[in-house]
């Protein structure tokens, strides 16, 4: 359904050019959930905004690559054509539901706006569809709730409304950018169950952007690990969780607290991510990697296919490096 290939995105600032994405590539298949994980600043949200056509111009620009959605390159569409895709074929759930909702408009108006804009349905039909969706996302008394404003809802209910807005036009691809960050654990579990129910009901494909590996373990089918604007490892949930191959992926998994171990100390990844004003030539994780070799700093490793579904960018798995060790 979606194929991102060799995507480069930069932002011009007073301090220079920030190379936010540096050759991102991945595929998404119909009906699956792909989780994109990594530290803050690694390029997760920029990837999502690029797919949605929301890169702010002229500061931000796509320097190279393609985003093929059902065979159509979204990077080549002008704004008017892209608007026919946004919210209709591809929808996005933004990180903060309070800022995603207009505080001056009633929920009913915000729910029906997209449907009336894109599908030209009557006001009564749009209202009926909106109330049905509020019930689907678990908001009781939809007829009364349609008349209320965002501040009259709790954080969890606002997040459900944002999900309903994203689903109103029945998109084929749903991008969820940190959808559970501001929610407590109980509401977080409810939102994740809601995603699973929606996917079973509609067959929508989901890109889930998060730094929470617990969320990933709950609903992801495949995982793409990003670091310094690159996808450094990608595989099925089982492959990445039980057989991680990149030192950064191993570090992420080791830094998650475990309740089954008593008096366990947290294992942080030492150091800081590289400066994307002047990213390193070789592997960007070299300065923080306990297994770094001289070649890591000078040349970026190629992608090594470990299986049909599992691939990693690391010299430790590269056959050329393994032959040197054998000697």
């Amino acid at each position: 359904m979606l194929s991102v290939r060799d995507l480069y995105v930069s932002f011009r600032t007073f301090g220079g050019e920030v190379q936010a994405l540096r050759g991102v590539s991945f595929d998404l298949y119909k009906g699956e959930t792909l989780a994109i994980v990594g530290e803050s600043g690694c390029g997760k949200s920029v990837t999502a905004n690029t797919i949605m056509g929301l890169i702010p111009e002229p500061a931000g620009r796509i320097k190279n690559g393609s985003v093929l959605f059902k065979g159509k390159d979204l990077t080549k569409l002008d704004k008017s054509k892209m608007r026919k895709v946004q919210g209709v074929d591809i929808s996005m759930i933004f990180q903060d539901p309070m800022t995603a909702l207009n505080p001056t408009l009633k929920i009913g108006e915000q729910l029906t706006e997209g449907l009336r804009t894109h599908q030209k349905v009557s006001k009564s039909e749009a209202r009926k569809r909106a109330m049905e969706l509020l019930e689907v996302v678990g908001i009781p008394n939809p007829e009364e709730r349609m008349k209320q404003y965002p501040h009259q809802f709790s954080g969890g209910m606002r997040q459900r409304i944002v999900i309903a807005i994203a689903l109103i036009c029945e998109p084929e691809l749903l991008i969820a950018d940190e959808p559970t960050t501001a929610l407590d654990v109980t509401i977080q579990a409810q939102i994740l169950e809601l995603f699973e129910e929606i996917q079973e009901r509609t067959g929508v494909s989901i890109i889930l952007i998060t730094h929470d590996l617990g969320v990933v373990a709950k609903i992801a089918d495949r995982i793409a690990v990003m670091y310094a604007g690159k996808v450094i490892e990608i595989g099925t949930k089982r492959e990445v969780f039980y057989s991680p191959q990149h030192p950064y992926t191993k570090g992420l998994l080791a830094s998650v607290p475990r309740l089954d171990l008593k008096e366990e100390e947290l294992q942080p990844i030492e150091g800081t991510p590289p400066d994307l004003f002047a990213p390193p030539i070789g592997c960007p994780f070299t300065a923080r990697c306990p297994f770094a070799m001289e070649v890591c700093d000078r040349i970026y490793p190629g992608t090594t296919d470990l299986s049909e579904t599992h691939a990693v960018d690391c010299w430790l798995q590269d056959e050329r490096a393994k032959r040197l060790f054998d000697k």
Side-chain angles (χ1 to χ4, degrees):
M1 174 179 287
L2 182 76
S3 181
V4 177
R5 284 289 171 269
D6 203 27
L7 194 60
Y8 285 78
V9 176
S10 294
F11 294 90
R12 289 197 299 273
T13 69
F14 290 112
E17 185 178 78
V18 179
Q19 299 177 43
L21 299 185
R22 305 184 299 127
V24 169
S25 297
F26 62 85
D27 294 318
L28 178 72
Y29 303 100
K30 186 171 177 60
E32 80 162 348
T33 299
L34 173 68
I36 301 178
V37 303
E39 291 172 279
S40 296
C42 69
K44 304 187 300 294
S45 292
V46 175
T47 302
N49 287 332
T50 304
I51 294 169
M52 282 294 295
L54 297 177
I55 296 297
E57 297 176 342
R61 63 193 181 105
I62 299 171
K63 298 181 70 175
N64 189 45
S66 61
V67 179
L68 297 174
F69 177 69
K70 297 170 65 177
K72 183 190 300 180
D73 190 351
L74 301 182
T75 64
K76 300 291 191 290
L77 300 182
D78 58 33
K79 288 185 178 180
S80 62
K81 289 181 179 177
M82 193 63 197
R83 280 188 66 82
K84 295 177 181 178
V85 175
Q86 294 166 335
V88 183
D89 297 318
I90 306 175
S91 282
M92 187 165 176
I93 300 168
F94 294 95
Q95 189 167 348
D96 185 355
M98 198 60 215
T99 57
L101 295 170
N102 188 331
T104 66
L105 293 179
K106 293 178 181 178
I107 291 304
E109 295 176 64
Q110 298 186 60
L111 273 165
T112 57
E113 181 186 14
L115 197 60
R116 297 191 67 193
T117 300
H118 294 293
Q119 297 188 3
K120 308 296 182 186
V121 300
S122 68
K123 191 172 182 178
S124 60
E125 286 179 296
R127 186 174 178 80
K128 181 182 177 184
R129 170 69 177 152
M131 287 193 290
E132 288 173 355
L133 259 181
L134 286 180
E135 288 184 341
V136 168
V137 298
I139 293 181
N141 304 319
E143 192 167 354
E144 290 300 316
R145 289 299 200 173
M146 292 272 285
K147 303 171 187 175
Q148 295 180 331
Y149 292 89
H151 71 271
Q152 295 176 278
F153 294 81
S154 67
M157 293 183 85
R158 285 197 294 265
Q159 188 64 279
R160 290 169 186 266
I161 290 165
V162 171
I163 293 170
I165 291 172
L167 293 171
I168 195 80
C169 291
E170 300 180 349
E172 295 181 66
L173 170 58
L174 182 64
I175 302 173
D177 187 0
E178 306 269 11
T180 59
T181 298
L183 306 177
D184 61 52
V185 176
T186 306
I187 302 300
Q188 186 180 92
Q190 292 174 3
I191 295 296
L192 294 179
E193 287 174 7
L194 177 60
F195 277 134
E196 291 178 322
E197 289 171 13
I198 289 167
Q199 195 168 46
E200 286 177 12
R201 186 177 302 191
T202 65
V204 66
S205 300
I206 299 175
I207 293 178
L208 176 67
I209 294 169
T210 185
H211 60 267
D212 189 333
L213 294 176
V215 170
V216 172
K218 172 73 175 169
I219 66 169
D221 296 310
R222 290 191 302 128
I223 301 171
V225 182
M226 287 193 71
Y227 185 76
K230 288 179 173 288
V231 174
I232 57 170
E233 185 165 1
I234 189 167
T236 64
K237 178 169 61 179
R238 177 167 291 276
E239 287 169 335
V240 173
F241 270 94
Y242 291 101
S243 183
Q245 297 301 313
H246 199 286
Y248 177 65
T249 310
K250 294 177 181 178
L252 282 180
L253 293 169
S255 65
V256 177
R258 290 181 57 180
L259 298 178
D260 60 331
L261 297 179
K262 292 183 178 180
E263 299 179 1
E264 181 203 18
E265 290 187 7
L266 287 177
Q267 299 178 34
I269 302 173
E270 300 293 339
T272 57
D275 184 359
L276 292 183
F277 281 109
I281 299 170
C283 175
F285 192 61
T286 301
R288 307 172 74 185
C289 182
F291 310 106
M293 302 174 286
E294 186 179 339
V295 68
C296 299
D297 199 32
R298 292 188 289 108
I299 305 171
Y300 187 80
T303 300
T304 301
D305 293 321
L306 305 170
S307 71
E308 290 184 0
T309 54
H310 196 184
V312 64
D313 292 7
C314 182
W315 278 111
L316 294 172
Q317 303 301 325
D318 195 290
E319 288 297 327
R320 292 171 291 174
K322 287 181 178 179
R323 284 197 292 270
L324 289 175
F325 284 126
D326 291 339
K327 291 179 181 179

